[in-house]
Amino acid sequence: MDLSTLKPADGAVTRDDFRRGRGHGSGNGKTAGKGHKGQKARSGAPRLGFEGGQMPLFRRIPKRGFTCRNSKNIVALNVSDLNRFEDGADVTVAALIEIGLVKNPRDGVKILGNGELTKKLNVSVNAVSKTAEEKITAAGGKVEVI
């Protein structure tokens, strides 16, 4: 199979420009595919999900929670996790992924100040806490926020 032989599945592509109710010779005349009588055969048929006045399902089910659009999903790492790097190494997001500390950086990586750092590192990540910055500089390293 290659790109030149691709085609949609049977029934996947349907056209909505079919002219209904144009005589029995068209194959869709008289009732125009709406059957005989009843509420759905008439104009002004109820909207999708209408249950004849009964409380609709989408209103019966409880709604919970809220998702803020502006929130960022930031991956947090502790200072103690950076001891995996060699002395004098550059700690970047790419280096953290390569060493296996971060799988998916999402909206950024932040270094937190939990634990101790025994190596001199040049850290350049999206965010660093105040205590983490103090510990990195106390160990002789540098901090850069990108």
Side-chain angles (χ1 to χ4, degrees):
M1 184 168 99
D2 58 353
L3 287 175
S4 63
T5 60
L6 287 178
K7 64 176 184 150
D10 291 336
V13 179
T14 57
R15 292 177 58 174
D16 198 37
D17 60 352
F18 187 79
R19 296 175 74 222
R20 290 167 187 84
R22 295 296 183 270
H24 65 83
S26 69
N28 208 332
K30 196 184 170 212
T31 54
K34 287 180 170 273
H36 292 277
K37 299 187 181 178
Q39 188 179 23
K40 289 185 178 178
R42 309 189 193 290
S43 66
R47 68 177 183 279
L48 202 67
F50 184 70
E51 298 184 25
Q54 175 176 305
M55 188 62 68
L57 181 69
F58 69 90
R59 288 189 60 194
R60 291 196 304 260
I61 295 173
K63 281 121 185 106
R64 290 205 177 93
F66 168 77
T67 304
C68 181
R69 293 187 211 171
N70 301 321
S71 66
K72 290 196 176 350
N73 199 342
I74 294 175
V75 178
L77 285 175
N78 286 313
V79 172
S80 58
D81 296 330
L82 301 180
N83 284 321
R84 285 197 194 177
F85 287 94
E86 293 179 20
D87 201 28
D90 291 328
V91 178
T92 61
V93 177
L96 291 167
I97 293 169
E98 190 178 309
I99 206 166
L101 281 172
V102 175
K103 287 184 181 165
N104 180 5
R106 295 188 175 90
D107 292 324
V109 176
K110 182 172 184 173
I111 307 294
L112 304 177
N114 196 4
E116 294 300 319
L117 184 65
T118 57
K119 296 173 181 172
K120 178 182 171 183
L121 300 170
N122 298 324
V123 179
S124 58
V125 290
N126 304 92
V128 180
S129 71
K130 199 179 285 183
T131 53
E133 189 173 356
E134 290 168 3
K135 288 181 180 182
I136 293 167
T137 51
K142 291 180 186 173
V143 175
E144 183 189 344
V145 176
I146 53 171

